[in-house]
Amino acid sequence: MRTFLAFLLFLVLIVVSSCRKDFSTIPSFGKLEFSKDTVFLDTIFTNIGSATYNLKVYNRGNKAITIPKISLENGTSSNYRLNVDGIPGKEFFNIDILAKDSIYIFVETTIDINNVTNPLYTDRILFDNGNNQQDVDLVTLVKDAHFIFPGRNPISMKIDSLTIDGQPTTIKGRFLTDAELTFSTTKPTVIYGYAAVPENKILTINAGAKVHFHDNSGLIIDKNASLKVNGNLNEKVVFEGDRLENSFSKIPGQWGTIWMRAGSKDNEIHHAQIKNGVIGILVDSLGSGTSPTLRLSNTEIYNHSNFGILARETNIEAHNVVIGSAGQASLAATVGGSYNFTHSTFANFWNNGIRQLPAVLVNNFFVYENSSGQEIIETRDLKAANFTNCIFDGNNNIEFLLDKVEGSLFNYNIRNCMISFIDSNNSFAGNAEMNFTNNPNYQNIILNGLADFRNTQNEDFIIGENSVGINKAISSSFPFDILGVSRTNSPDIGAYQHIIFD
C-alpha cells in the first residue's frame, strides 16, 4: 500500500511540474502584430463549412507576454469557430507568447443564411481589453442555393444508392423529380451524390446557371434521357465543385463526372465551363443512327484529375472546344465510335504529376480478362475520327496518338491541324497511322509548331501573334471563334482567333 501511495505521489509531482511555467511573463501591452488585419473566408454556401484559415499573432518584444483574453466580439453566438494554439473554442484566457515568438489562430465557419440579416457576415477577434485591446476582422460572404441531396433510410440512416437498369449500385444519389428538371439562374444548384436524369426525361440547364458538386458527386443521364445545356456567349453555364474559396479554384478531382450512360441521346452542351472534376464528361452511348450522342460547342473543359472527355464507343460532334489539363488525357476517344471535332484546342499542360497519355488518344479496342484470367482484346469500328483546324499540344513529347488494333474499321482524317509529336526514341517509326508525311489521311499538318498560348498555367489558350497557326485553317461552317470573334476571313487554327498580347 505504501508503495502504491508513493507511486501516486510521484505521478502527481510529474503532472504538476509539467503544467508549471518555466518562464515568467508580463501582461500584453497592446503591441501585438498580425499576419493580416482581416481574415477573408471567401464565399461559402449556406450550411456548408468553410475551409480552415490561419492568422499568425506575433510578439516582437524581448519579453514573454500573456494575453489576458482572446475572444470573438459576437461571443458564443458567433458563427465563427477558433482554435488558438491548439485549443478549440470561442473564448480563451491567459494565452502566453514567448519573446520574439508567435502563435497560430485557425478560423472556420458554417453559416445558415436564414439566421443572418446580411449575407456579408462579419465578426472580430478581440485581443486583450481596455486601452490595450486590438482586433482582427473576419469577413465571409454567404450564398443561398438550391440543394439536391440523396435520400436517407429513416431506420438505418444510410444514404440511398441509385438503382440503374433494375440493379442496385453503390452510387450514392437519386433520380431527379419532374420539378427539378430545370436548373435556372435564380440560385446556384448544389448537388450531393449523383443526380440522375430518369429515362425519357430531359434536364435543361439555362444560360448563366451555376452547378456545384460536392465530393464524389455528379450528373448521370440515363438511357433515353437527355441533357440540354443552353449557355450563350455572355452567360456561360458553369460546372465545378462546391468549395468557392479561391484556394480551391485550381484543385482537380473535387467532384466526379457528367456521365452520359449507354442509351442516353441527343445530349447538347453549348457555352459551358466544366472544371476541377475527375472526368469532365464521360460518354458511353452510341445514340441514334442519325444524331450524335453529344453535340458540344463553345465549351471549356479544364483541370480534371483523369480525363477532360472520356468517350467509349460513342458519337460526338464538336466545334470551338477547349480541353486543357488532365491527369491522363484531355480527350480519350476509345473503343471505336464516331468523332468530329472542328476548330478545337487540346492543350494538356498537366503539372500535378507524371502523365502517361497524350493530350488526345484515339483507339478502336478494349481489353478485359476472361474467366480463365486470359487477357482478351476486342475491337470495335472506328467509323470516324475527323479533326479539322485543331491544335494538339502540351508538355509531353507525344500529344496525339492513333492506337489501332486490326480487326475493325479505323477511319480518320486529320486536316489543317497543329500537332506536337516528338518521337525521340523512334517508337512509332513503323506505325502507318503516325506517319504524317506519307499518309493521305493527313493534310496540311503543322508538326511541332509554336502555338504561342497566352498562359498555359492559367488554362489560357488564346494564341498570340507569334503562333504558326495564324491564317492556316481551312474555311469551315463555324464563322465565329469561341469568344464570338469572326473568322470568316483568314481563319486561325484552334478554338481562338489570335490576338496581340499586352
Side-chain angles (χ1 to χ4, degrees):
M1 183 68 177
R2 182 176 300 172
T3 302
F4 178 70
L5 290 174
F7 178 69
L8 283 179
L9 179 60
F10 177 70
L11 287 179
V12 169
L13 288 173
I14 290 175
V15 171
V16 170
S17 63
S18 65
C19 295
R20 187 184 63 208
K21 289 183 183 179
D22 56 3
F23 59 92
S24 60
T25 66
I26 62 173
S28 173
F29 48 90
K31 298 295 184 180
L32 297 171
E33 293 185 19
F34 308 103
S35 56
K36 58 194 78 173
D37 56 14
T38 302
V39 179
F40 294 98
L41 280 77
D42 292 329
T43 303
I44 63 170
F45 284 119
T46 179
N47 291 316
I48 295 180
S50 72
T52 301
Y53 295 77
N54 66 74
L55 171 71
K56 205 168 185 180
V57 183
Y58 299 93
N59 171 20
R60 303 294 192 189
N62 294 319
K63 294 184 178 181
I65 63 171
T66 296
I67 305 173
K69 184 178 180 181
I70 299 176
S71 62
L72 289 161
E73 186 174 47
N74 291 337
T76 57
S77 64
S78 176
N79 287 305
Y80 292 105
R81 302 181 296 276
L82 304 180
N83 186 302
V84 176
D85 212 20
I87 302 170
K90 297 189 177 184
E91 193 174 57
F92 308 85
F93 296 94
N94 299 322
I95 303 299
D96 298 327
I97 309 181
L98 295 173
K100 305 294 184 180
D101 205 352
S102 61
I103 61 170
Y104 275 104
I105 297 179
F106 298 98
V107 188
E108 298 176 337
T109 188
T110 305
I111 303 171
D112 184 342
I113 198 168
N114 296 312
N115 295 333
V116 295
T117 58
N118 190 331
L120 189 66
Y121 184 77
T122 62
D123 201 344
R124 293 192 301 164
I125 304 176
L126 304 179
F127 298 84
D128 213 328
N129 48 46
N131 293 331
N132 291 332
Q133 188 172 86
Q134 297 175 264
D135 63 80
V136 171
D137 292 328
L138 304 175
V139 179
T140 307
L141 179 63
V142 192
K143 294 183 69 171
D144 199 3
H146 172 60
F147 291 89
I148 296 175
F149 294 100
R152 187 185 293 270
N153 186 298
I155 299 174
S156 67
M157 298 305 292
K158 291 183 177 179
I159 297 173
D160 291 346
S161 297
L162 282 165
T163 296
I164 297 177
D165 295 335
Q167 300 297 319
T169 73
T170 59
I171 302 172
K172 303 300 182 185
R174 66 172 174 85
F175 283 93
L176 296 170
T177 66
D178 286 353
E180 295 172 317
L181 288 174
T182 299
F183 293 177
S184 69
T185 59
T186 306
K187 296 179 182 179
T189 298
V190 180
I191 297 174
Y192 278 66
Y194 276 81
V197 183
E199 187 173 356
N200 299 316
K201 299 291 185 179
I202 299 173
L203 171 61
T204 301
I205 304 181
N206 292 332
K210 310 294 183 187
V211 184
H212 300 268
F213 301 99
H214 196 61
D215 186 30
N216 295 318
S217 300
L219 282 176
I220 296 177
I221 317 304
D222 205 4
K223 62 182 180 181
N224 295 317
S226 301
L227 171 66
K228 305 290 187 183
V229 177
N230 299 323
N232 59 50
L233 181 61
N234 298 314
E235 297 174 299
K236 291 183 179 293
V237 173
V238 178
F239 299 88
E240 62 182 326
D242 66 346
R243 303 309 300 262
L244 304 182
E245 299 93 334
N246 187 60
S247 59
F248 284 83
S249 64
K250 294 182 180 179
I251 296 179
Q254 294 180 48
W255 55 281
T257 186
I258 300 170
W259 181 19
M260 298 169 185
R261 289 193 64 234
S264 70
K265 61 180 184 180
D266 299 328
N267 298 292
E268 297 184 18
I269 299 178
H270 306 294
H271 291 283
Q273 285 185 344
I274 305 170
K275 54 188 178 181
N276 300 336
V278 176
I279 300 174
I281 307 173
L282 171 58
V283 196
D284 268 337
S285 174
L286 279 173
S288 68
T290 58
S291 179
T293 305
L294 171 62
R295 283 191 170 94
L296 184 65
S297 72
N298 300 295
T299 291
E300 303 154 83
I301 303 173
Y302 295 145
N303 200 35
H304 295 276
S305 58
N306 285 4
F307 298 94
I309 296 178
L310 173 57
R312 301 185 291 207
E313 197 178 4
T314 192
N315 185 339
I316 298 176
E317 184 179 288
H319 69 273
N320 286 346
V321 172
V322 180
I323 310 182
S325 296
Q328 295 190 47
S330 300
L331 168 67
T334 66
V335 202
S338 182
Y339 308 96
N340 291 277
F341 282 80
T342 305
H343 276 297
S344 294
T345 298
F346 307 93
N348 199 336
F349 290 84
W350 180 257
N351 59 8
N352 292 306
I354 297 174
R355 173 168 57 92
Q356 301 294 335
L357 297 180
V360 173
L361 168 68
V362 180
N363 71 32
N364 67 331
F365 64 91
F366 65 100
V367 181
Y368 67 96
E369 285 190 359
N370 64 15
S371 57
S372 301
Q374 294 176 304
E375 185 176 272
I376 305 298
I377 299 176
E378 289 196 15
T379 62
R380 294 289 187 270
D381 287 344
L382 180 65
K383 297 179 180 179
N386 299 325
F387 295 90
T388 304
N389 300 335
C390 294
I391 297 175
F392 307 94
D393 207 342
N395 52 7
N396 279 358
N397 286 337
I398 306 296
E399 294 297 8
F400 177 75
L401 180 60
L402 300 175
D403 192 8
K404 175 184 176 181
V405 169
E406 297 293 342
S408 295
L409 292 177
F410 201 87
N411 296 326
Y412 61 96
N413 185 270
I414 318 300
R415 188 174 187 182
N416 291 76
C417 290
M418 294 176 59
I419 300 175
S420 178
F421 188 92
I422 302 173
D423 186 14
S424 55
N425 297 320
N426 292 321
S427 301
F428 299 93
N431 189 320
E433 276 65 51
M434 304 314 297
N435 186 333
F436 302 108
T437 56
N438 297 313
N439 186 332
N441 295 314
Y442 291 99
Q443 303 104 44
N444 302 321
I445 300 304
I446 299 174
L447 199 61
N448 300 318
L450 175 67
D452 193 26
F453 296 126
R454 182 158 62 178
N455 191 330
T456 60
Q457 297 308 302
N458 284 335
E459 308 280 8
D460 183 350
F461 302 115
I462 295 175
I463 61 174
E465 60 183 324
N466 295 317
S467 174
V468 299
I470 294 173
N471 300 339
K472 298 296 176 58
I474 192 171
S475 296
S476 72
S477 55
F478 308 109
F480 298 98
D481 78 355
I482 191 172
L483 298 178
V485 177
S486 175
R487 60 160 70 101
T488 304
N489 298 316
S490 303
D492 299 338
I493 294 176
Y496 299 96
Q497 287 293 99
H498 76 281
I499 65 171
I500 298 174
F501 301 149
D502 293 333

